[in-house]
Every structure is written in structure tokens, then in C-alpha cells.
Amino acid sequence: MIEVITSGPLMTVQDLGRPEARRYGVSPGGALDSFALTVANQLVGNPPNSAGIEITAGSAALRFHIPITIALAGGDLGARLDQQPIPTWCAVRAWPGATLSLNGRRGAWGGRCYLAVAGGIQVPSLLGSRSTDLAGGFGGLHGRPLHPGDQLPLRRPGTGIIPVTGRHWPSSLRPAYCATPTLRFIPGPHSEHFTPDTLDRLGRATLRVSTTSNRMGYRLDGVHLHYQHMTSILSLGVVPGTIQVPPDGTPIMLMADAQTSGGYPIIGVLLSADMPLAAQLLPGDTLHLAPTSLDTAYDALLEQARMLAHNPEHDEGDLLATLAGG
Amino acid sequence: MHWSFSSLGDSALLMEAQGELDVTNQAVLALTMALEANPPAWLRAVVPAIASLLTCFDPLSMSHNGVMEYLRKLQQVTALQPTYHERVVRIPVHYGGTDGPDLDAVSRLTDMTPTDLIALHCAEPYRVMMIGFAPGFPYIGPLPSDLNIPRRATPRSAVPPGSVALAAGMTGIYPSRLPGGWHVIGRTDLPLFNPETNPPATLRPGDRVQFVAVLPDLRRRHP
């Protein structure tokens, strides 16, 4: 069992979401940074879709009541286990009664950190997922963010899985996380609804994630885009990463908890491979957008799939180098 | 039916149909059912909308062009053999009063008495054209042109669950407490969404919905 001591700005149970439930009007949901959650699960020996905890940068603490292997991946939030610093992207053994504490962003980037525990979080699976649907009020723990005092049941790790600690995920096999990332997007499908200079202006602007942003979407301040002529668009299906432009001209980038359909013109959609970079942004953070081609998008996806195919078991030497300061 | 194809990022293909809404929507639904009847391994999700179909796929198992070719062929077959069946669902509605606070305003907008408005809304079954906006929220239509009114000037921050509302030539039903800009003319007790059941949504695209007025004296229980 894991006990929530403090939950920070937002702490939720997430797996890789329920993309198929979109046909019922249900958001795909799931970890904003699915790469980080997948890696954290791999480090503790879980299948990639096991439920973990998405921790948003801020003061958060969790206590473990049994000896268990854990891993954190994503932004560096200065994690400590009973006051002792522990590395991110690394499997660690927690002892009964140990308290994991995290804080705000420590480096130049990082808004969300993912905690995986061997076996995964045991909450009921609804519509094929254990993810919390905040708008729908279901999934995760009672369909809501985690609160102090919550107790999360754990699944027993599969038999034959030996808890491995010290497994480490090398930085060369992670997305290019950084401050003010350049997020690439595929233009369309409504480019012709906008004035001809729109892609140029979007590409040149330094954008800032507005304070009203959340897991549903980020409003991007710093540019005003204009329609060529007033157009009305029939509500159509959208995906996370969609950049839509309401009449006020401020683009909105949809994230995992976005509605399944939208009626605003769409200027482009982020590369799937760049979604982890977007996931690490917090309100106030800056970013750039750059149009690119489908070929580039597929290359980037293949590269990310190659990274995830990495087997952390073969890395003991790498870890020793890390511990030695290499 | 003319379809235009465009990419919605690297993992989704959008097909938009041109033409009269009623016809395009039926084509979208027929294609959705054909696609789901025999789902290819690369298919991740299908999101049918009023006049478009979004197909989400695994780009590492099928190329964008491959998906487009598959859908183009499927559309040709579907156009010849419609695969789309209708189910009629009766939805009891308490019209007006506190259940439908905008009934009088809509009567004025449409230049009809509330009684005539209710009669027209219940006159014939309409189609569930899509599910979207919120879990289980149906877009039902197309309504007769007399009922085609714009959204409220000021949206409400919270519309009660079960609210039956009009806007943009369609009827929507709010499955849960949600913000909303449609004109609320009534309320139904029929639950529309339950994540613990399969399927979770009571209505599915393609269903025919017959609204039925619940008479006030039948439901009022005196202590």
C-alpha cells in the first residue's frame, strides 16, 4: 500500500489511457508524458501500461508500507527517500515506512514526474484503463486527484519477477527534454482558413503556456492568429497535440484530457514523438513551434520506439559509471 | 459522396464529406460501422462526427498513405452496400418549468407556442449524429428548420444532468453537470453515461431518438 502524505498541485493515477473510448465522447487521458511512465514501468519490471502516479512539480510526499521497488522518470523534482537524494530514471528499493518526497522543478526543465511501483497501482480498470478521468469523474482513485490520506493498493508483482534495483535509463535514450523546447507539428488540416503568414508567425513566436492551462490543454500566449475569413467548422474528432485556434486568435494545444471533438479551425498537430516534451511544460514556461513533414514525424517516432526497445537489464556498467560521477 | 482526406498529425487521418448534413452523416456512420466490423490491426480509434470521420492508427504498423488507400476502398464498397442499421430509442422528457428554463425563450425565438414547440420536438425520430463534447453527449438531428436557433448569447457555467437542449439545428442531452451554451427546454431521467457498463454510453451514433413528452400531472407526487 502507498499512502499519500501531501499531493502537490496535482497528483493522479495514470496509465497509458483509453484511446478507444473516444467513440463514447471519453477523452483518451493517460500520462501526459507517456514516454516517462513507460520507462518508469520498464525499470521496475512492469508492462508499459501499468498504472503509476503522475506528480506535478510542487511539494509532494508518499509513504510506502511494504518493501518495494520503485522508479521515477520524467522531470527532476529533487526526489528524496527519507531525506536521502535518489536519482530519477533509476530503479530504487524502498523500505517499509520510507517516505518519498518531491519538490518543485530542480533543473531548467520538468513539470511532471512519474512514479512506477513494481506490480503497478491496483485501482479498477474502467473502459480499458486505470487512468483518472478528471472531467468525467471516474477512473484512478474515485475519479479524482489524490488527496493527503489516500491509500493506494498495489498489485502483486508477477511471479518470477525478481525485484531489480539499480537499473538505470541512460540519458542518450530519452527525448530531448529541455527548457524552451521547439515542438514540431504537421500543418493542417485547416491551414487555408488562416491568413497566409500564419505558419511563419507561429514559427517565429516565442510562446508561453498560460496560467489557465491544465491536462486538457495549454493556451499559448505570445501570438494572435487570424482567420482568412470568418468560417464555421462542424465539430470534428481531434487528438492530443492538436493546435486549434478559437476566434480570439490565441492557439490552444490539446493535451491528453482534451475533449474528443472540437469546432475551431486547426492549424496543425504536434508530432507524437514531441508530446513528452510538451508534457513537461508548466504554466509560465516558454516554447517554440516549428512546422515539419510527415517523413520527419515517422523518423522521430521510429527513433523513440528504438529508445523504448532498450533493455535496462544490460546496463549495470552504465550505472556504475553514473554512480562514479561519469 | 465526395470525401477529402487530410492528416491530423502523424497518427490520425481525417476524412471530411461534402454535401447535405443528413446525407454526409449517414455516409460517415456507414463507413464507421464498416471499419469497426472488421478492424485492421493498425486501427487505434474511430471518432465519427457530423460530417467527418477521424481514424487514429499506429503509424509504425501502417503508413499514412496505406490507411488512406484502405479507407478509400472501404468507402467505395460501403457506398454500394450500406452496412448501417438503425435502432429507435424513446427518451421521455419533462418539458418546461424548472426542467426546461429556456422553453419560453425558445418559443419566442421560433414564434411558436410552447405546446407546438414540444409537439414538433416529439413529432418524429431524429438521428444521433455523433457523440462528443463530453462523455456520452449526443448530437441529435437534424431538427426541422423551424427549430434551428443559435446558441445562447451567454453560456451557463453549469447545466444540470439530463438537460435536453437545442442549438445549431440539433438537440443535445447533458449526461452530467457541465457548462453549456445550448437552450435547455426539458430534462430526461434516462441516464446517458456510466463508465462501469459496456458500452458506457446509452446512445450510439446512428440510433434514432424519439422524444416523448412526460405529462406534468403524471409525475407530480403529492405528499
Side-chain angles (χ1 to χ4, degrees), chain A residues 13 51 121-126 129-131 139-142 152-153 155:
Chain A
V13 175
I121 307 284
Q122 174 73 298
V123 290
S125 175
L126 287 177
S129 165
R130 296 186 159 80
S131 285
L141 190 74
H142 312 314
L152 293 165
R155 284 162 72 87

Side-chain angles (χ1 to χ4, degrees), chain A residues 20 23-25 259 261 272 298, chain B residues 10-11 36 44 64 133 135-136:
Chain A
E20 285 154 26
R23 49 182 312 212
Y24 305 117
Q259 293 173 6
S261 56
S272 306
Y298 294 138
Chain B
D10 52 39
S11 311
E36 289 183 330
R44 277 183 183 163
H64 183 91
F133 167 61

Side-chain angles (χ1 to χ4, degrees), chain A residues 38-255:
Chain A
T38 301
V39 167
N41 274 321
Q42 262 172 247
L43 286 168
V44 298
N46 287 346
N49 196 20
S50 303
I53 300 178
E54 181 176 279
I55 301 162
T56 311
S59 181
L62 298 135
R63 186 172 296 138
F64 303 97
H65 287 262
I66 51 165
I68 192 161
T69 304
I70 64 168
L72 292 168
D76 179 357
L77 306 184
R80 287 167 180 266
L81 197 60
D82 277 353
Q83 301 310 316
Q84 201 179 323
I86 58 164
T88 314
W89 307 92
C90 191
V92 172
R93 189 78 173 160
W95 46 91
T99 300
L100 173 71
S101 54
L102 301 104
N103 272 298
R105 170 185 298 170
R106 215 164 65 123
W109 64 274
R112 290 169 184 91
C113 188
Y114 293 83
L115 169 68
V117 293
I121 307 284
Q122 174 73 298
V123 290
S125 175
L126 287 177
L127 306 178
S129 165
R130 296 186 159 80
S131 285
T132 314
D133 186 317
L134 293 172
F138 65 90
L141 190 74
H142 312 314
R144 57 161 175 81
L146 296 177
H147 295 160
D150 282 343
Q151 301 192 338
L152 293 165
L154 302 178
R155 284 162 72 87
R156 285 256 150 247
T159 50
I161 293 181
I162 303 156
V164 182
T165 54
R167 275 180 177 179
H168 169 253
W169 197 271
S171 58
S172 59
L173 298 178
R174 302 174 202 161
Y177 294 115
C178 60
T180 316
T182 296
L183 307 179
R184 296 164 294 178
F185 70 97
I186 307 290
H190 301 138
S191 308
E192 78 281 5
H193 289 259
F194 297 91
T195 50
D197 60 346
T198 298
L199 285 183
D200 273 355
R201 295 183 54 230
L202 200 52
R204 279 200 314 268
T206 297
L207 301 164
R208 186 178 296 274
V209 179
S210 103
T211 50
T212 55
S213 304
N214 55 28
R215 278 183 47 93
M216 293 177 76
Y218 300 168
R219 278 175 67 86
L220 302 177
D221 292 332
V223 71
H224 276 271
L225 303 179
H226 308 291
Y227 300 155
Q228 185 102 270
H229 35 78
M230 262 319 281
T231 41
S232 88
I233 290 203
L234 281 171
S235 200
L236 49 82
V238 290
V239 294
T242 296
I243 306 163
Q244 59 179 23
V245 184
D248 71 4
T250 302
I252 298 174
M253 191 162 78
L254 301 182
M255 299 301 286

Side-chain angles (χ1 to χ4, degrees), chain B residues 140-209:
Chain B
I140 302 165
L143 297 180
S145 55
D146 285 351
L147 292 179
N148 192 346
I149 50 170
R151 289 176 166 77
R152 280 167 57 87
T154 313
R156 289 187 172 93
S157 58
V159 174
S163 291
V164 175
L166 300 184
M170 284 178 282
T171 292
I173 309 175
Y174 291 81
S176 54
R177 179 171 298 273
L178 289 160
W182 293 27
H183 303 265
V184 178
I185 60 167
R187 189 184 56 78
T188 180
D189 295 319
L190 187 76
L192 287 185
F193 182 79
N194 178 356
E196 311 214 7
T197 59
N198 184 25
T202 307
L203 297 173
R204 59 185 185 219
D207 285 346
R208 304 290 287 185
V209 166

